Amino acid sequence: MGIDVAAGVAVTGAADGVRPPESFVSGPGVFLRGLTEPVDGLVLAVPEQWFDAAGAARREALYGELAEGLGMPLRQFVPRAVAAVASLEQSSGGHLVCRLEADGVVAAVCGVRGRSVTLCGVEWRAASAGPPVGSPREPQNPQEARRAALLLSRARVQARYRAAPLCLPREVTAGAVLDAFAPVEQSLRSALLPLLAGLTASEGVTQVLLDGGLRRHPLAGAAVQEAATGAPVCVLEDHAAALGAFLVARGTVRIPETARHRLSLRVHRVHQGLLTEAELPLAVPGGPVTLSLQGSGRGPVQEPVRESVQKPVQESVRDGAHDATVDVPDGHRPEVLIRLGDTEIRVPSPALRPGRYRLGLHSAGNGPGVLTLRPEDGGETVLLPLSGPAGARTGDTE
């Protein structure tokens, strides 16, 4: 199953193929509780803004609700733009996704290579306050569409056309449409400028994909082409991101989520009466970023592990089918090591309640991501941003 969380759309499949998309308004948890069939795999398409360190709190809240609360096999979170590209059958190349909404825009470049889609860069901007903006009704015939396009193009440069009605008999003038769309277009240009400037030759844009509530606006395609590229423009369907997430869940398309840093949790083990230092691996460069870290497959560790002689910590790494866990005593602050080449950074966590914690990771758009410490007793998950301030919790969403 694939779900576009922001749009409230789910796509499921069966032996006979892909089923029509289903819309919901009460959140993915309510929708999943109402299902009568089992879910073999679940992938969630979520806003690109959720892939910074602060946004990890939103992903973790969904993980707690769906994976832990409902027992859903949640495999991956993917950016909506990447999921939308994954929904299309296309050759390798760069695809520019522009999501246009009345309150802001998102622009993302996604690279396609074979069955894999990756995010090459993303920018988002809020739209400044302005008159209400919406898509005028779509022309009923090609002649009317050509008239509207011609009128708008002339009204952009010649003031005398601004008072002309855009689509007869409705009294919406070309000038009113231009004024309402202007803040969105300005935000789009602001997002595209740094995004396209940072692309390499191998990431050149071969197709533009329009998404969002204003994707069919008569000015949308021209605004993107003028600001970005002469590549052909395609308008996405409402369920594109949900369909792409479904294809990822099925295994038809891959959206790799790999670590760029070597991460480990520093622990000390008392072995035969001696204090020895050890590291619990969390991630390796090029390896997966897993929502729930798994044990090493060597069975439970029976010996106590100590952060210091006075602060016993028992590392409990179970077999490969279970989560990796650590026991934390009162007042203890575990420490994460981040390595990139020869550089090592030590990131201490905030003070934790004593108890056993299961470990997981959330990726981030830049940096090593966010470590999660999930109390086995059902307490509030602690989020440790590995490139920023420590101590966020699942209730922190800003």
Side-chain angles (χ1 to χ4, degrees):
M1 175 182 291
I3 292 181
D4 182 348
V5 174
V9 180
V11 172
T12 60
D16 56 351
V18 182
R19 294 171 177 168
E22 300 178 68
S23 298
F24 57 86
V25 296
S26 300
V30 175
F31 172 77
L32 291 169
R33 287 186 185 92
L35 295 179
T36 58
E37 298 178 344
V39 177
D40 295 329
L42 175 63
V43 172
L44 301 181
V46 298
E48 291 74 15
Q49 295 90 322
W50 291 20
F51 284 85
D52 58 15
R58 297 182 182 270
R59 284 181 281 163
E60 180 62 24
L62 277 177
Y63 179 89
E65 178 187 7
L66 305 183
E68 299 193 335
L70 298 181
M72 289 291 166
L74 178 54
R75 296 179 180 173
Q76 191 175 356
F77 291 95
V78 297
R80 294 182 71 199
V82 184
V85 173
S87 71
L88 305 176
E89 294 184 4
Q90 53 207 330
S91 58
S92 298
H95 301 267
L96 172 62
V97 180
C98 294
R99 185 177 309 118
L100 308 178
E101 304 287 357
D103 59 354
V105 303
V106 174
V109 173
C110 303
V112 180
R113 178 174 296 180
R115 296 172 58 243
S116 295
V117 183
T118 57
L119 182 63
C120 302
V122 62
E123 296 282 342
W124 54 83
R125 299 288 188 275
S128 58
V133 58
S135 292
R137 69 175 180 86
E138 293 188 42
Q140 298 297 317
N141 56 67
Q143 182 178 0
E144 188 178 356
R146 287 192 296 269
R147 177 189 177 279
L150 178 61
L151 179 58
L152 285 171
S153 65
R154 289 181 176 178
R156 291 172 74 104
V157 296
Q158 300 182 51
R160 69 176 182 270
Y161 289 100
R162 290 177 55 88
L166 184 64
C167 297
L168 298 173
R170 185 176 178 184
E171 294 182 359
V172 177
T173 65
V177 173
L178 289 170
D179 292 342
F181 192 74
V184 178
E185 185 170 357
Q186 292 169 3
S187 297
L188 175 64
R189 291 178 179 274
S190 174
L192 288 175
L193 182 63
L195 177 67
L196 298 178
L199 296 182
T200 64
S202 62
E203 298 167 342
V205 174
T206 59
Q207 186 178 28
V208 177
L209 304 173
L210 293 181
D211 194 11
L214 299 178
R215 67 189 185 282
R216 299 187 187 277
H217 194 286
L219 293 171
V224 172
Q225 285 190 317
E226 289 178 11
T229 174
V233 176
C234 174
V235 179
L236 292 169
E237 298 294 335
D238 288 334
H239 65 282
L243 175 59
F246 166 77
L247 295 176
V248 174
R250 175 173 277 189
T252 305
V253 182
R254 293 180 61 250
I255 299 180
E257 194 172 29
T258 57
R260 289 170 291 174
H261 303 73
R262 185 179 300 276
L263 306 177
S264 60
L265 189 69
R266 186 172 66 89
V267 295
H268 287 79
R269 189 187 311 276
V270 175
H271 180 62
Q272 295 180 350
L274 299 176
L275 185 65
T276 60
E277 185 173 283
E279 294 180 13
L280 175 62
L282 304 178
V284 296
V289 177
T290 55
L291 294 174
S292 181
L293 292 170
Q294 300 297 303
S296 63
R298 55 185 171 85
V301 175
Q302 301 299 331
E303 297 175 326
V305 177
R306 297 179 184 268
E307 175 64 21
S308 67
V309 176
Q310 294 79 21
K311 293 182 177 180
V313 182
Q314 180 170 342
E315 174 199 6
S316 176
V317 182
R318 305 172 185 173
D319 62 51
H322 295 84
D323 294 344
T325 65
V326 291
D327 287 348
V328 178
D330 189 15
H332 178 68
R333 295 173 180 261
E335 190 172 59
V336 180
L337 305 181
I338 303 174
R339 289 195 180 93
L340 181 59
D342 296 331
T343 302
E344 178 178 292
I345 303 173
R346 295 175 180 262
V347 182
S349 80
L352 302 172
R353 291 190 301 107
R356 175 166 293 179
Y357 290 80
R358 292 174 289 108
L359 304 176
L361 279 174
H362 287 291
S363 63
N366 48 37
V370 178
L371 178 68
T372 66
L373 298 104
R374 302 172 180 131
E376 283 207 339
D377 63 4
E380 187 177 27
T381 296
V382 175
L383 304 179
L384 177 57
L386 300 179
S387 57
R393 297 179 184 272
T394 50
D396 302 330
T397 58
E398 300 296 329

